[in-house]
């Protein structure tokens, strides 16, 4: 297997960030053996790189879910990262689309998904006599609505990046220093996050969302979310690229119409992480207010 030298970190980082990384390595060292939930995103990739650098590679195992709710490109990146680091990768299917509660798509969908994945990773880890599961949850995740964090707590998962206060910016800077190929790749997420709560999740929806986003990326848009509202495709991109979207208006309409969308819209609010949670958060807040 190909892997980089442990001295690949040659881009300078500031003292405060360096101290955080050192504390993270101390946590990893104390765990001795780890199974890393690897998504292909920059957070879990950095965590895997730190584990591979801190522990012997035979004491590090990467596990990646390959269910259709995850973009194919992310799965490819996970394989590439693990191979470059010389870490064994186990791929598995958690079976979310076989779970009626998941496909019903209620606001705890992410909790169910994370719980199913972590159970599979625990089974894999137990077979290898590995007692610590670690994920790439970070300090910024605590500021957002992330039901999956409850599953991590229930399963006794370790989150070293969060424990030492590494933020998203810290992680990207560190990943760049360690020359990870996805250090500046736009944030991604499970494709189910593009479907409004209460609207059933189907393989057909997931497929056209993934195809639609890939079309938009190939047109040159740097950050894309295609929110699927049945007949409506609501496109979220960086507002700085709105003019580009207008210039490519006909091309976008023709391409997305072929996927079955009747109405093609551009969200004037631009890209917003967790935009499908906004209505739920408002409703939940109003409910709590009325209960007081």
């Amino acid at each position: 297997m190909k892997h980089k030298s442990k001295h690949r970190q040659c881009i300078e980082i500031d003292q405060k960030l360096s101290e955080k990384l050192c504390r993270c390595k101390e946590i990893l060292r104390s765990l001795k053996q780890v199974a890393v939930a690897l998504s292909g995103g920059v957070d879990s990739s950095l965590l895997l790189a730190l584990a591979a650098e801190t522990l012997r590679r035979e004491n590090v195992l990467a596990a990646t879910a390959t269910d259709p709710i995850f973009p194919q490109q992310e799965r490819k990146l996970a394989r590439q990262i693990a191979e470059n680091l010389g870490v064994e990768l186990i791929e598995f299917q958690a079976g979310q689309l076989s779970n009626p509660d998941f496909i019903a798509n209620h606001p705890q969908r992410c909790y169910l998904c994370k719980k199913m994945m972590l159970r599979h990773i625990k089974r894999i880890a137990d077979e290898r006599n590995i007692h610590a599961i670690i994920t790439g949850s970070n300090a910024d995740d605590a500021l957002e609505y992330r039901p999956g964090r409850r599953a991590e707590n229930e399963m006794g998962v370790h989150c070293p990046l969060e424990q030492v206060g590494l933020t998203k910016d810290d992680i990207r800077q560190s990943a760049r220093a360690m020359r990870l190929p996805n250090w500046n790749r736009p944030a991604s997420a499970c494709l189910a996050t593009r479907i409004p709560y209460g609207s059933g999740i189907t393989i057909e929806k997931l497929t056209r969302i993934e195809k639609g986003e890939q079309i938009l990326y190939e047109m040159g848009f740097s950050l894309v979310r295609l929110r699927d509202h049945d007949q409506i495709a609501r496109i979220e991109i960086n507002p700085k690229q709105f003019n580009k979207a207008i210039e490519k208006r006909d091309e976008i309409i023709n391409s997305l119409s072929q996927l079955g969308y009747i109405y093609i819209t551009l969200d004037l609010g631009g890209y917003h992480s967790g935009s499908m949670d906004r209505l739920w958060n408002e409703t939940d807040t109003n409910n709590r207010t009325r209960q007081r």
Side-chain angles (χ1 to χ4, degrees):
M1 287 185 179
K2 295 180 289 185
H3 57 83
K4 305 285 186 182
S5 162
K6 65 189 295 183
H7 300 296
R8 62 184 173 276
Q9 187 170 325
C10 58
I11 296 174
E12 289 189 9
I13 55 178
D14 62 45
Q15 182 64 28
K16 187 175 180 180
L17 178 52
S18 180
E19 290 173 357
K20 289 182 182 180
L21 293 174
C22 286
R23 292 202 303 274
C24 188
K25 289 180 180 181
E26 288 173 5
I27 291 171
L28 292 169
R29 202 171 288 115
S30 70
L31 296 175
K32 298 180 180 177
Q33 293 179 308
V34 295
V36 183
L38 179 66
S39 67
V42 65
D43 304 336
S44 60
S45 297
L46 175 68
L47 184 60
L48 184 66
L50 291 171
E53 191 173 81
T54 305
L55 306 171
R56 291 184 177 180
R57 283 175 173 77
E58 59 266 28
N59 293 327
V60 180
L61 180 70
T64 297
T66 60
D67 301 84
I69 63 172
F70 301 111
Q72 292 185 42
Q73 189 59 36
E74 293 295 299
R75 290 179 254 162
K76 290 178 182 176
L77 271 170
R79 295 186 194 111
Q80 179 187 349
I81 295 292
E83 181 180 2
N84 288 349
L85 294 171
V87 173
E88 181 182 1
L89 173 67
I90 300 292
E91 296 183 326
F92 66 92
Q93 288 207 336
Q96 291 93 341
L97 295 183
S98 299
N99 185 327
D101 292 329
F102 177 84
I103 61 178
N105 197 18
H106 57 68
Q108 292 302 309
R109 174 199 65 225
C110 291
Y111 164 76
L112 292 172
C113 177
K114 183 61 75 72
K115 195 69 176 280
M116 293 176 74
M117 287 196 298
L118 291 176
R119 281 175 175 164
H120 277 267
I121 295 175
K122 186 178 188 306
R123 201 169 300 132
I124 293 167
D126 286 345
E127 291 173 358
R128 303 298 184 92
N129 202 30
I130 296 174
H131 303 297
I133 299 172
I134 59 177
T135 74
S137 293
N138 61 73
D140 286 341
D141 290 337
L143 305 176
E144 300 179 3
Y145 176 68
R146 291 186 180 267
R149 289 168 55 82
R150 178 159 67 95
E152 292 178 340
N153 292 334
E154 291 175 356
M155 296 291 290
V157 167
H158 300 269
C159 305
L161 305 182
E162 180 183 357
Q163 284 179 256
V164 302
L166 281 166
T167 65
K168 225 15 172 177
D169 287 343
D170 290 337
I171 289 166
R172 288 199 182 277
Q173 186 179 346
S174 302
R176 183 185 183 194
M178 299 186 78
R179 300 190 181 280
L180 296 180
N182 57 349
W183 73 269
N184 64 342
R185 183 175 172 78
S188 185
C190 156
L191 295 169
T193 61
R194 279 64 153 174
I195 303 172
Y197 293 126
S199 179
I201 299 170
T202 66
I203 189 67
E204 291 78 17
K205 287 182 182 179
L206 297 171
T207 300
R208 73 174 180 174
I209 290 168
E210 183 168 18
K211 286 181 178 178
E213 290 190 352
Q214 187 58 39
I215 287 169
L216 293 168
Y217 277 122
E218 289 174 359
M219 288 184 188
F221 295 100
S222 57
L223 181 59
V224 173
R225 289 293 184 272
L226 196 163
R227 309 296 185 183
D228 186 299
H229 300 266
D230 294 323
Q231 297 178 325
I232 302 171
R234 177 168 60 86
I235 301 168
E236 294 181 11
I237 57 174
N238 188 323
K240 293 179 180 179
Q241 292 192 305
F242 279 1
N243 287 340
K244 185 183 188 72
I246 299 302
E247 292 169 4
K248 291 183 173 287
R249 169 179 169 272
D250 291 338
E251 187 179 352
I252 292 171
I253 291 172
N254 290 337
S255 297
L256 297 188
S257 294
Q258 291 179 28
L259 297 179
Y261 293 110
I262 296 176
Y263 305 103
I264 318 297
T265 70
L266 176 63
D267 191 324
L268 295 181
Y271 166 73
H272 180 85
S273 176
S275 72
M276 291 302 198
D277 296 327
R278 282 186 283 189
L279 179 59
W280 163 253
N281 288 340
E282 285 180 18
T283 303
D284 190 45
T285 300
N286 290 338
N287 286 340
R288 289 198 301 269
T289 301
R290 285 195 293 269
Q291 290 169 0
R292 286 174 183 165

